[in-house]
Amino acid sequence: MPSYTVTVATGSQWFAGTDDYIYITLVGTEGCSERTLLDKPLYNDFERGAVDSYDVTVGENLGEMELVKIEKQKYWVHDDWYCKYITVKTPSGDYVEFPCFHWLVDDKEVVLRDGKALLPKDDKTRLVKQHRHKELESRRKTYRQELGLLCITHLPHNDVLMLYQDAFNKYMYSMY
């Protein structure tokens, strides 16, 4: 049975570590692993600034590594966690790095692509193309919201009041 070595780096910021459960799923061109709890008995995993390694055994070779899914679930109280990166050593000895640089808050999951800079035309599988599409849609939504706030916050006070008044008037007239 093939074994993959997963190395997880926790950020060094204050409160970056967690006591919550961290699960990983490895996704390759030939299949994906089971959802695996990353935990060492009698060891305090995912402490601030720590780099921890775990063995993930799978039924058959996953092929070329494409994605990694990390999930965080509450242990006792909600405890945020800052993941810097994940490195996967394949059974053939290749290392694949998955940069993260995300805070995982509440019961959240993050899907990571490998760190290679690829153009959309170079995406090999349908799964990777779908992941890219979801990521872009999420960013578009975020940037639209932030852009709206940014535009309003940089206007002079009187202009902001006029915008609100116009919006209120349009709303009121639409009711009749």
Side-chain angles (χ1 to χ4, degrees):
M1 296 181 103
S3 181
Y4 292 79
T5 303
V6 174
T7 303
V8 181
T10 299
S12 56
Q13 304 90 316
W14 285 100
F15 306 108
T18 188
D19 289 324
D20 287 349
Y21 297 112
I22 304 296
Y23 295 90
I24 193 163
T25 305
L26 305 175
V27 181
T29 53
E30 303 296 319
C32 65
S33 71
E34 300 267 332
R35 178 178 180 242
T36 306
L37 174 65
L38 300 180
D39 182 47
K40 295 178 191 171
L42 303 174
Y43 178 76
N44 203 354
D45 306 286
F46 312 109
E47 289 298 298
R48 179 172 71 111
V51 178
D52 301 309
S53 293
Y54 305 87
D55 289 324
V56 176
T57 304
V58 297
E60 45 188 70
N61 196 335
L62 303 177
E64 189 177 326
M65 292 301 306
E66 292 188 322
L67 302 171
V68 166
K69 180 165 91 169
I70 324 165
E71 298 173 73
K72 184 177 86 64
Q73 283 190 343
K74 181 172 93 170
Y75 169 67
W76 183 49
V77 293
H78 279 293
D79 191 13
D80 300 344
W81 176 52
Y82 186 83
C83 178
K84 254 172 109 172
Y85 65 84
I86 295 176
T87 303
V88 178
K89 181 182 176 189
T90 65
S92 63
D94 296 330
Y95 288 87
V96 184
E97 180 133 352
F98 296 87
C100 185
F101 303 103
H102 276 92
W103 281 98
L104 279 80
V105 180
D106 299 326
D107 289 346
K108 185 178 178 183
E109 68 178 44
V110 174
V111 179
L112 304 173
R113 297 166 53 101
D114 64 17
K116 297 176 198 163
L118 296 175
L119 296 172
K121 69 179 180 78
D122 297 326
D123 288 341
K124 295 177 184 173
T125 64
R126 185 175 55 86
L127 184 65
V128 173
K129 289 177 184 180
Q130 286 175 340
H131 177 262
R132 183 186 295 266
H133 180 73
K134 284 181 184 177
E135 186 178 35
L136 288 173
E137 283 303 313
S138 172
R139 288 185 182 186
R140 279 189 192 116
K141 182 179 176 185
T142 301
Y143 292 143
R144 275 191 210 122
Q145 291 169 352
E146 288 177 2
L147 184 60
L149 290 175
L150 181 67
C151 291
I152 289 176
T153 57
H154 289 299
L155 290 174
H157 181 68
N158 290 340
D159 290 346
V160 172
L161 289 176
M162 285 177 43
L163 280 173
Y164 281 120
Q165 186 176 5
D166 287 346
F168 178 75
N169 288 338
K170 286 179 186 175
Y171 172 73
M172 291 303 289
Y173 289 125
S174 70
M175 293 178 63
Y176 297 107

